[in-house]
Amino acid sequence: MSQQHLQQLRQLMAYEASRNAPPADFPRLPPLPSARYTDAAFHALEQDILFRKTWLLAAHLDEIPEPGCFQRWDIAGAPVVLVHADNGDIHALINRCSHRGAPVAMDERGKRKRLTCPYHGWSYSHEGELLAVRESRDFAALDTEALSLQRLRCERLGKLIFVNFDPQAVNLRESLGALVEEWAEFDLDNCRLSRRDRFSVRCNWKIAMEANLEVYHVPSIHGKTVSPVLDARRNVNSFYPGGHSRMVAPIPEGHAQPAWTSRWPDIPTAGDIARTCTQSYSVFPNLVMPLNQFVIPPIQFWPDGIDQCIVETWTMAPDWGADTDRGPDMWTEDDGARPSRVLREDIDMSEAIQAALDPRSNRGIPLSYQEARIYHWHQSADAVVGAAQIPEGLRVQPVLEDAWLHPNEPRLRGPG
């Protein structure tokens, strides 16, 4: 992070602590339609468009470290197999044989010289090309080039592997924009994967995710866990193009990073904000990326029906000099048996909110200035889906204009 950016963040923290109202020119946020969490048609739009036109974090290179290694990835609503090719590239292929649709990879993960359908023996290269057809004499004029496995967009940032179902999408780095430069200090090329776990949660996926998009709730829900090490009054929210956002809140004086982190090597290139603040990015549409000098613990939120979701937690860290099972664990207890206390606090409240939802209600959800990252997410979702495809009563008004998107910073022009 540049010294100019660092100085600006410190100025913004001071501004947030001193203000008595939202910035004078900050837009009024219209109530968020509550049916966006309960409407079946809107849920279908999310599945069919939102998760098909955006970059999704799929895997870590440690999971498929060598040529020939593969891993299934089905959580995004389509059967996908990720394959490490001989030339070092990672490919994302639809896990469906071009003959009669059987999965070419039945195991969750493994290592093979080629992908061979277990049903009729058709085999494919790591790039998805059809290599051999058993009893080819029985097929007349078979166009093998047209029968390759469908290949998806697949790109890496460090060891993180992302997939996009849209062949026309901008590349990953362009999509992430300024985040690429801001994350450079965290050495994503060398951080190892320590754990990856999944937990089923009884609520709409956005309810669970949005607990990570604001700190307004921290004194209430996390009074003994997060609140003591996060100065919510000095929290700075930033909005990025493409639906991404960030929060940065200083650790109060007299407090340090949680004691458990001192057990692990730190990331030597991590900067001052990583060492003195709590910071977390929201990467559109479903990835939350907290960052500090000890661990990189992404957390993802996947729809599993309108009123249920899967929370997927990761922990990555610098090489701790031991096997994977003994590395850091940010999000679970008892070796993955249950979520950590902080995560349980959010999950319990999210499930309670879901249980109290009234799908017949047309009352909107009022959002504060401190909850504007939530509004920014919904406004960006409508831009991806297309407002014309969304029922009028479920649309979000695009009131957060470009003037409020990074690198613009209206708050420093004068007092709010």
Side-chain angles (χ1 to χ4, degrees):
M1 182 176 295
S2 69
Q3 284 300 313
Q4 181 180 1
H5 194 178
L6 179 61
Q7 182 180 4
Q8 183 183 76
L9 277 174
R10 295 297 184 191
Q11 291 175 331
L12 285 167
M13 291 175 197
Y15 166 83
E16 292 293 345
S18 65
R19 66 178 176 82
N20 294 313
D25 52 352
F26 191 78
R28 186 188 70 83
L29 303 178
L32 202 64
S34 58
R36 291 171 73 95
Y37 303 88
T38 60
D39 186 82
F42 188 77
H43 175 73
L45 289 173
E46 291 177 338
Q47 294 286 91
D48 297 341
I49 301 178
L50 193 62
F51 281 85
R52 289 293 176 270
K53 290 184 174 293
T54 49
W55 286 99
L56 306 172
L57 177 58
H60 188 282
L61 190 60
D62 286 359
E63 296 174 292
I64 46 174
E66 300 174 350
C69 290
F70 70 89
Q71 176 171 281
R72 291 180 57 168
W73 183 64
D74 300 332
I75 199 169
V80 177
V81 58
L82 304 167
V83 188
H84 192 146
D86 289 336
N87 65 357
D89 291 342
I90 307 299
H91 297 289
L93 309 170
I94 292 295
N95 190 18
R96 184 186 300 122
C97 181
S98 302
H99 176 215
R100 286 172 56 189
V104 296
M106 296 284 286
D107 297 332
E108 287 298 315
R109 58 180 52 87
K111 186 175 182 181
R112 296 179 188 165
K113 293 183 177 180
R114 59 176 61 184
L115 299 173
T116 301
C117 176
Y119 198 14
H120 297 99
W122 285 30
S123 63
Y124 302 83
S125 71
H126 298 153
E127 292 77 16
E129 298 170 335
L130 180 59
L131 297 177
V133 173
R134 196 175 68 201
E135 298 294 346
S136 59
R137 62 180 181 171
D138 292 332
F139 291 88
L142 195 65
D143 185 356
T144 57
E145 291 187 6
L147 292 171
S148 298
L149 299 179
Q150 180 183 346
R151 187 189 298 183
L152 306 175
R153 297 282 298 281
C154 186
E155 298 180 18
R156 283 172 47 194
L157 185 68
K159 288 188 175 182
L160 296 178
I161 301 166
F162 289 79
V163 172
N164 195 316
F165 291 86
D166 182 6
Q168 305 303 318
V170 300
N171 66 51
L172 175 63
R173 288 176 176 267
E174 185 176 350
S175 174
L176 292 175
L179 274 58
V180 175
E181 181 178 349
E182 293 179 22
W183 292 359
E185 66 188 69
F186 295 98
D187 198 15
L188 294 176
D189 285 307
N190 293 305
C191 282
R192 294 176 58 189
L193 179 66
S194 180
R195 302 196 55 91
R196 185 175 176 184
D197 298 273
R198 292 177 179 175
F199 302 98
S200 183
V201 179
R202 298 186 301 276
C203 71
N204 183 275
W205 71 281
K206 297 187 296 298
I207 293 175
M209 180 182 67
E210 287 166 6
N212 295 267
L213 301 189
E214 47 92 358
V215 299
Y216 186 37
H217 74 289
V218 167
S220 301
I221 304 303
H222 306 300
K224 295 183 179 180
T225 52
V226 179
S227 190
V229 294
L230 186 154
D231 189 346
R233 286 186 58 82
R234 285 174 167 77
N235 176 63
V236 176
N237 289 328
S238 300
F239 315 103
Y240 292 76
H244 315 311
S245 64
R246 180 190 64 193
M247 60 79 61
V248 176
I251 298 171
E253 292 185 12
H255 291 271
Q257 290 280 5
W260 69 269
T261 58
S262 63
R263 298 169 49 199
W264 311 107
D266 74 353
I267 302 171
T269 52
D272 182 67
I273 291 297
R275 298 173 185 278
T276 62
C277 299
T278 296
Q279 69 174 333
S280 179
Y281 289 80
S282 168
V283 183
F284 191 82
N286 70 326
L287 170 63
V288 171
M289 193 78 163
L291 295 166
N292 63 61
Q293 81 271 36
F294 293 109
V295 295
I296 299 172
I299 181 169
Q300 290 180 280
F301 302 86
W302 300 98
D304 192 25
I306 296 177
D307 56 1
Q308 186 157 307
C309 67
I310 296 171
V311 176
E312 183 173 47
T313 62
W314 308 46
T315 303
M316 303 183 297
D319 194 338
W320 51 91
D323 60 38
T324 302
D325 293 336
R326 296 179 182 176
D329 183 0
M330 179 73 174
W331 291 120
T332 84
E333 297 175 358
D334 301 327
D335 197 27
R338 61 176 182 169
S340 67
R341 179 180 176 183
V342 170
L343 198 54
R344 292 200 308 273
E345 290 168 344
D346 280 330
I347 288 173
D348 289 347
M349 179 55 65
S350 297
E351 292 186 335
I353 292 170
Q354 183 68 47
L357 283 177
D358 181 359
R360 300 164 296 180
S361 174
N362 58 5
R363 177 182 293 182
I365 300 169
L367 294 177
S368 69
Y369 164 69
Q370 269 297 329
E371 298 166 294
R373 290 173 65 208
I374 295 175
Y375 197 94
H376 176 53
W377 185 95
H378 282 269
Q379 179 176 309
S380 302
D382 282 18
V384 172
V385 172
Q389 300 196 64
I390 301 172
E392 186 174 358
L394 297 181
R395 297 174 192 167
V396 168
Q397 299 178 38
V399 298
L400 269 172
E401 299 179 346
D402 289 351
W404 284 94
L405 300 186
H406 181 84
N408 301 320
E409 191 38 76
R411 286 170 288 192
L412 296 181
R413 293 175 186 161

